[in-house]
Amino acid sequence: MSVFEPAAQPAVPDPPSGPEVRSASVLKRRSDVRFRIVDGEAVVVLQESAEVMVLNATAARLLELADGERPLAAIAAALAAEFEVEPEVLREDLLAGARELAAAGLLELAPGGGA
């Protein structure tokens, strides 16, 4: 499932591939990413390209929690208490969402976080 809301999906047919993202990866928001949470969704602005996106609730929380300090596996554990979903399903969805957000230019690997 895509982390982008249907009306806000990028028009680019093949977004550039992002970094190799794994459960042990430590991610952070890119410095030009600005966002606000509105009714559980993230309205995101990529300042460099002046692109605006709307993300679903799970992606919004991932964007909030991607602090450059903790790996995706730790973020998944934190989100398990917030979402009523099997832990393995959450981990898989979070990993897919993180890859999509990285490919869209919203997240990047933190220094030394490419494990």
Side-chain angles (χ1 to χ4, degrees), residues 16 33-36 43 48 50 56-57 60 67 73 78 84 89-90 93 101 104 108 111:
V33 171
R34 302 290 181 261
F35 75 103
R36 296 260 189 240
V43 178
E48 190 173 294
N56 67 25
D67 58 6
E84 294 181 23
V89 172
L90 177 63
D93 286 352
L101 292 177
E108 63 187 2

Side-chain angles (χ1 to χ4, degrees), residues 3 5 9 23 27 33 36-38 41 46 49 51 62-63 67-68 74-75 78 84 86 89 92 103 105 115:
V3 298
E5 290 298 316
Q9 287 201 355
S23 292
L27 299 169
V33 171
R36 296 260 189 240
I37 305 298
V38 180
E41 297 176 334
L46 274 168
S49 64
E51 187 174 356
L62 174 55
L63 204 56
D67 58 6
I75 292 173
E84 294 181 23
E86 292 295 320
V89 172
E92 290 174 14

